[in-house]
Amino acid sequence: TAVKDGDEWVINGHKIMTSNGRVADFLVVMCRTEDDDSGNANLKMTQIIVPTDSPGLERIRSVPIWGHTGGDHMEIKYKDVRVPLENALGARGSGHQAAQDRLGAGRVYHCMNTIGQMWRAFDIMVKYSTQREVHGGKLETKQFIQGFIADSYIDIQAARLMTIHCAEVMDKGGNSRVDISAIKIFVPEAGSRVVDRAIQMHGWRGVSSDLPLAGMFQGFRTLRLADGPDEVHRILIAKQILKRYHDGLSWDFGV
């Protein structure tokens, strides 16, 4: 929470997971600034810039990610932390909407980045299949491996075309909520499948740091939580589609 006191905000709270909190010089803290429980719940949050050397801000610990210790994400406590009112980003109560405005384009960016990594994993996998000799022939001659290659092509192309379509809808000013949620779910899942096949083909090297595949796999799995978990996006998609049918319409996949 953040309470106005004269020309300052007084912030109290406890955040378990703060991205890059160990190395940041300042944090953007989403604070509840409105006490009234009536009205729109989305108008009660304000984003406030908080320098990390502010009195009362305590870095508790580095939060281990994927079993690795000593990372940059931090658990942080705020005890009567004071910052100037001017440190608020945007209008009071606009924090939630500002975050949502960023997240739409941000999710498209994450998908674009994921597709690029999927493509790289595909190249690594296919090239290896043409070189590795096993049981009297190269991997590329084995039907299991041919299936890996075909299924990965399908995943990459589907992810790419869905993301391009979503970006086009956004660019034209259309309602892209369903498309954004759809790619947010599909692309990291497809990426995980592609990288998993590449890891399987490479054996122990696939999970080692000799190749980038293990890092890709962890990143894609993490994306299913970042910017909203898959389950939230599935609910949003279903609600948007059902609303059209309740309104006597249908869903047009050609738009």
Side-chain angles (χ1 to χ4, degrees):
T1 61
V3 178
K4 183 179 177 182
D5 183 25
D7 59 356
E8 293 180 316
W9 292 109
V10 181
I11 300 172
N12 284 279
H14 186 182
K15 185 75 162 58
I16 300 296
M17 177 71 165
T18 300
S19 300
N20 299 312
R22 187 177 70 86
V23 296
D25 293 324
F26 66 89
L27 307 172
V28 178
V29 184
M30 184 78 79
C31 301
R32 181 183 173 109
T33 54
E34 314 307 312
D35 292 330
D36 186 4
D37 288 331
S38 62
N40 190 339
N42 294 334
L43 300 178
K44 301 181 184 300
M45 308 299 291
T46 304
Q47 296 184 39
I48 300 175
I49 298 173
V50 180
T52 52
D53 60 357
S54 300
L57 187 151
E58 181 184 2
R59 290 182 170 110
I60 304 297
R61 66 185 177 109
S62 174
V63 179
I65 302 296
W66 285 108
H68 298 289
T69 59
D72 291 336
H73 304 310
M74 295 293 294
E75 177 182 357
I76 296 177
K77 283 187 177 180
Y78 302 83
K79 177 64 175 177
D80 295 329
V81 177
R82 290 180 172 269
V83 297
L85 293 179
E86 64 190 31
N87 280 29
L89 289 174
R92 180 169 173 169
S94 67
H96 179 270
Q97 187 58 52
Q100 292 303 309
D101 291 343
R102 181 201 69 82
L103 285 173
R107 288 164 181 149
V108 175
Y109 164 78
H110 284 314
C111 289
M112 293 164 55
N113 183 283
T114 298
I115 292 165
Q117 293 184 70
M118 291 165 69
W119 196 333
R120 185 182 180 196
F122 184 79
D123 279 343
I124 292 171
M125 175 174 64
V126 176
K127 288 177 181 177
Y128 185 66
S129 76
T130 67
Q131 299 165 354
R132 178 76 165 107
E133 294 272 355
V134 61
H135 296 299
K138 291 184 177 179
L139 282 174
E140 64 178 329
T141 66
K142 314 302 180 184
Q143 287 185 338
F144 269 121
I145 301 305
Q146 292 169 358
F148 283 1
I149 293 170
D151 289 342
S152 296
Y153 169 84
I154 293 167
D155 275 332
I156 294 170
Q157 193 71 313
R160 192 178 72 86
L161 294 174
M162 284 179 67
T163 302
I164 290 172
H165 170 74
C166 178
E168 288 178 343
V169 172
M170 293 180 69
D171 194 47
K172 294 175 182 177
N175 186 347
S176 57
R177 293 184 68 188
V178 168
D179 292 304
I180 290 172
S181 288
I183 63 172
K184 171 63 176 63
I185 295 168
F186 181 80
V187 176
E189 287 184 344
S192 295
R193 291 192 294 267
V194 171
V195 173
D196 185 72
R197 296 177 193 121
I199 289 173
Q200 193 70 14
M201 185 186 297
H202 282 84
W204 71 267
R205 289 192 70 220
V207 295
S208 76
S209 295
D210 286 357
L211 296 172
L213 301 173
M216 291 180 184
F217 189 85
Q218 291 178 341
F220 296 164
R221 183 60 184 85
T222 302
L223 277 180
R224 294 183 57 199
L225 301 171
D227 289 352
D230 290 357
E231 291 75 16
V232 170
H233 288 282
R234 283 188 163 91
I235 292 170
L236 187 150
I237 291 171
K239 284 183 175 179
Q240 292 292 310
I241 293 173
L242 288 167
K243 182 179 184 302
R244 287 188 62 85
Y245 281 82
H246 281 297
D247 291 342
L249 304 171
S250 63
W251 193 263
D252 187 352
F253 285 93
V255 175

